[in-house]
Amino acid sequence: MAIAGRHKPSSDARLFTLCPFWSSNHSEPNVQSSSKTVSSVARSLLPPRRRLRFDPSNYLYFPYEPGKQVRSAVRLKNTSKSHVAFKFQTTAPKSCYMRPPGGILAPGETLIATVFKFVEQPENNEKLSDQKNKVKFKIMSLKVKKGVEYVPELFDEQKDLVTVERILRVVFIDPERQSPALEKLRRQLAEADAAVEARKKPPTDAGHRVVTEGLVIDEWKERREKYLARQQVQAVDSV
């Protein structure tokens, strides 16, 4: 009986077997390494910290005018204490353009970006409400050092550090029907146009920035003409 008693594991032994990191056989450095691993896993599970604020926060509103080029605008503000690079991507690069498509904002700096979109003619009696989720814009951010020059390749070189800030959905609104969304859109476009005029004057301070539209419209017309030419060729071939 005494021999059997010596081989019976005690409750303390079972506890240390189940929790090996508590055992005296493991050194303190291993415990610290384990804690660091747990901390890194915990950080990876937390939602990413946002660096930018958007207005509008979730949507880009466009007047629904089929066959025409329309505009929207979004305000970006760097709410962090570091310089932040941002980059836009869209699911419809052939019909949507944002100026600027990317850049760097200093802490607290605000920028107004203008979005140009060509509204296609509806197909198969498609309704206005059916088009609101087809086009999306993804805005990404990356913390950078002061003085770094923006190039799109920054996001490829440091892709592990890139944060997806927001995905803005395109929503069409009726330009003939008054609504809060339409009124806000008009105010934002007026503010964007005023910023464009301000850029034509000698700079006095680091206020809102908007890229002028001349080059955008010229580029748009050229690419649109090429697109329509391809469509006509395809139509002829299908006859």
Side-chain angles (χ1 to χ4, degrees), residues 223-237:
R223 297 184 66 173
R224 185 60 188 167
E225 288 174 357
K226 293 180 179 179
Y227 172 75
L228 292 176
R230 290 196 301 269
Q231 292 294 103
Q232 292 176 357
V233 171
Q234 293 175 0
V236 172
D237 293 340

Side-chain angles (χ1 to χ4, degrees), residues 46-61:
L46 293 174
R49 183 177 180 180
R50 305 301 180 188
R51 306 181 180 102
L52 301 176
R53 182 189 302 162
F54 301 89
D55 184 27
S57 58
N58 295 303
Y59 300 101
L60 282 175
Y61 295 96

Side-chain angles (χ1 to χ4, degrees), residues 5-6 35 129 146 168:
R6 285 199 301 269
S35 300
S129 60
K146 182 179 180 180
L168 300 177

Side-chain angles (χ1 to χ4, degrees), residues 88-139:
F88 287 91
Q89 288 184 342
T90 178
T91 57
K94 292 183 178 180
S95 62
C96 297
Y97 302 89
M98 179 165 292
R99 292 296 183 267
I104 294 179
L105 295 175
E109 186 177 4
T110 297
L111 176 145
I112 300 178
T114 304
V115 186
F116 299 83
K117 175 171 175 54
F118 183 84
V119 183
E120 300 288 350
Q121 294 287 350
E123 298 180 1
N124 301 324
N125 297 322
E126 192 175 30
K127 298 180 181 179
L128 174 62
S129 60
D130 297 333
Q131 300 197 22
K132 61 181 180 180
N133 293 324
K134 286 192 174 182
V135 181
K136 302 175 185 178
F137 286 87
K138 179 169 69 175
I139 300 94

